[in-house]
Amino acid sequence: MALIKCPECNKEISDKAKVCIHCGYPISEIIEQQNHNNGFFKIRLINCFNKKPNAIMHVRAITGLDIKKAKALVDLNQPVIISGLTYDDANAIKKIFNNDDIEISIEEDNESTNRTIINIKDDNPKVQNYTQPQQPLQPQPQNQVHCPYCNSTNVNKISSTKKAASIIGLGILSNKIGKQWHCNCCKSDF
């Protein structure tokens, strides 16, 4: 028999206890979960309600992502924020999000092979070896311009200045008359 700390109230209890004798937290479920997976957990953002800026701020603080990537991650449908955590680290992060009424869940992480190390001081977590979890691919917008010849989306709009210069140089034989886009892959104008 060993003494462990309850993840909810941080008081010492027996590892054989089914629930914490101090707060009623279901200890046996957590120990059972840890025995069924590799001991890693992941944090999934469920709902940030009207606290999206706070969610982005927390994601940036935890992951070290820049604001654009953190916003893109929060905008996904129930994304995994971070994986490879111990249960204690996942629970500490959950408390930080819950303080701002942001709903997250702690789930088993059977994909991670490396532990994500987090230093939590004064409710300000910092990740030491963060790797962003894989997210499901989002469909590309349908109104994106693509080249009709090579189907590339690496295209630029032909400026009026370039059109005028081509017409002045080649006159009516210019290949830019009636064209709006230039493909950077196959170098065609369309």
Side-chain angles (χ1 to χ4, degrees), residues 14-29:
S14 168
D15 64 341
K16 305 290 184 201
K18 297 206 184 291
V19 295
C20 175
I21 58 172
H22 305 286
C23 67
Y25 193 80
I27 299 297
S28 61
E29 291 177 18

Side-chain angles (χ1 to χ4, degrees), residues 19-163:
V19 295
C20 175
I21 58 172
H22 305 286
C23 67
Y25 193 80
I27 299 297
S28 61
E29 291 177 18
I30 301 306
I31 292 172
E32 189 176 309
Q33 279 183 343
Q34 288 176 343
N35 291 336
H36 282 96
N37 69 5
N38 56 9
F40 294 134
F41 294 86
K42 58 187 172 185
I43 298 284
R44 182 178 303 276
L45 177 65
I46 303 298
N47 194 341
C48 58
F49 304 103
N50 60 351
K51 306 277 184 140
K52 188 174 179 181
N54 292 4
I56 294 169
M57 176 189 68
H58 291 313
V59 167
R60 289 187 68 208
I62 291 167
T63 63
L65 292 173
D66 63 34
I67 194 163
K68 193 173 187 180
K69 289 181 181 177
K71 182 183 179 308
L73 186 61
V74 170
D75 285 342
L76 293 174
N77 183 22
Q78 296 191 351
V80 173
I81 302 297
I82 191 166
S83 58
L85 299 170
T86 64
Y87 185 77
D88 291 338
D89 287 346
N91 200 35
I93 290 172
K94 182 176 182 177
K95 286 180 183 179
I96 292 167
F97 277 88
N98 287 345
N99 285 341
D100 279 337
D101 297 323
I102 298 169
E103 184 181 356
I104 65 166
S105 68
I106 299 174
E107 301 172 1
E108 288 184 12
D109 182 9
N110 296 319
E111 293 90 30
S112 292
T113 56
N114 294 329
R115 178 172 175 235
T116 302
I117 300 169
I118 298 188
N119 292 330
I120 299 179
K121 295 179 182 175
D122 302 324
D123 291 335
N124 188 14
K126 295 289 182 198
V127 174
Q128 290 180 347
N129 62 340
Y130 175 74
T131 54
Q132 186 171 352
Q134 293 291 337
Q135 303 293 340
L137 295 175
Q138 296 293 339
Q140 291 292 331
Q142 296 298 325
N143 59 353
Q144 192 170 13
V145 177
H146 64 276
C147 176
Y149 305 106
C150 68
N151 211 23
S152 170
T153 56
N154 186 9
V155 296
N156 291 332
K157 190 162 179 73
I158 300 172
S159 68
S160 299
T161 308
K162 284 186 180 179
K163 285 183 189 178

